[in-house]
Amino acid sequence: MKQTATHSLLMAALLAGAISAQAGVTAEEAARLKSTLTPMGAEKAGNKDGSIPPWEGGLTKATPGYKNGDARPDLYPGEKPLLSINAKNMAQHADKLTDGVQALMKKYPDFRIDVYPTHRTAAAPQSVYDNTFKNATRAKTIEGGYGMEGAFGGIPFPIPKDGYEAMWNQRTAWRGGNFSMPMRVWVVTSDGKRTMASGGTQTIRQAFYDKDGSAEKFDGYYQYGKLVVNAPGSKAGEAILALDGVSEAAPRGLWQYLVGQRRVRKAPSVAYDTPDSVTSGIGLFDEAFTLFGPIDKHELKLVGKKEIYIPYNNNRAASAKIEDLVTPNTLNPTQVRWELHRVWEVEATLAAGKRHVVPKRKYYIDEDSWQIALFDGWDAKGQLWRTNYALMLTAPDIPAVSNVVLWGGYDMQTGAYYLNMASNELPRQYEVQPPIPRSFFSAESLSSEGAR
């Protein structure tokens, strides 16, 4: 009996592995990307009551007079909120509010969300749509879902079958290819004091979208990122370099330059639940950019799709004065735009034998852009601990919607929060760059840029 049970478990595991390694979808299913679904896999139609409109191509033309690197203007300056939700009326809208948003309302009586008309502005170049269609039938997850192969230049799994596929879509979502942004990180303590924790420049190359690349030539590294810190003075010169791959064949590379040591060293601790030094330890490294580095300590479940209120089209917030946006307790509700959108919910639960200070998370991924807009985290006692957000900048000039600008999180237990990648009041914003050479993302270049 014992041998039979063991054999059954082994066969079940092998079968599960075989299923997870199957190519994405059939050609018949993929054909929906050219009919009822958008080229990225979202539902093209609006919802039943019209509060979510149909997708009609998104925004693909820059505002007249816009120049690369300028702050992108508020796209809908004349619109007024349809409704405001706070602790007094949140029960009426609970089905469209995340646990974290409701917790903020309960904790802070002045916190509210102003809900505006929904605009499905997400768009991408035609090449991204073409590659997404190809990926739909050729991409597959490997290594238990924590790796993937067969995809390049587009959303890997536009019709996802599980949580692993959905999270690979987020990791490789289109955000502009090559871009940089001057930024500041603002932290607010539990007593309401605002401080600039870090300032510098973040540069990213989405190698997954290299124009001269292909699935055949792809080396497995989907993204290179470099952060060089220039403020405050105590941190000036620090730098972090990250190379992220899609499988064990392209292992993650992390390096850090610390001024006090005057050398570049490997930094494997810049991952998982290590407190993020850039945010003065309020955030964790794997919460950066809403998802940073491997998440193989959790099992991922695709709960399904739902309609919720998320931050969206927040160009106004990206241009606000910091004192008007980063206020005591929470971001200023007047500056943050919320809209009703369909999202994919992915639940992350600590895997057997693994350790993480946040054993459970719920991620909410925008169906149109495949980017995380909100996610919540619970501690080992099952208490809601963290609620994180991305304000979602719309850049018709690229075209893209991006969640790597104006993201941050709230510590519900201490009352502290932070806003990262804020270029408010700085001379440049999220700026598209020409192809960035691979040598720029090397340990040698990290040393030369970081040295002071």
Side-chain angles (χ1 to χ4, degrees), residues 10 15 20 33 117 133 183 199-200 220 235 267 296 329-330 335 393 451:
L10 177 60
L15 179 59
S20 68
L33 297 170
F133 185 75
M183 63 83 183
K235 292 184 177 181
D296 52 4
N329 299 326
T330 69
Q335 297 292 339
L393 180 79

Side-chain angles (χ1 to χ4, degrees), residues 352-363:
K354 300 290 186 178
R355 179 206 158 277
H356 196 288
V357 297
V358 187
K360 178 183 175 181
R361 284 180 173 142
K362 289 183 180 180
Y363 294 92

Side-chain angles (χ1 to χ4, degrees), residues 21-97:
Q22 288 180 350
V25 298
T26 65
E28 289 74 20
E29 288 179 288
R32 296 173 58 205
L33 297 170
K34 297 186 177 182
S35 58
T36 59
L37 300 180
T38 74
M40 304 278 264
E43 294 176 48
K44 187 176 290 185
N47 62 357
K48 291 182 179 180
D49 66 8
S51 53
I52 296 177
W55 184 81
E56 297 179 337
L59 293 185
T60 59
K61 294 183 179 179
T63 304
Y66 173 81
K67 294 180 181 179
N68 186 31
D70 289 350
R72 293 166 179 87
D74 184 357
L75 297 169
Y76 308 103
E79 288 188 348
K80 304 297 182 183
L82 299 173
L83 73 156
S84 293
I85 306 172
N86 57 24
K88 294 180 180 180
N89 65 347
M90 71 178 192
Q92 303 171 33
H93 307 279
D95 62 325
K96 293 181 174 61
L97 300 173

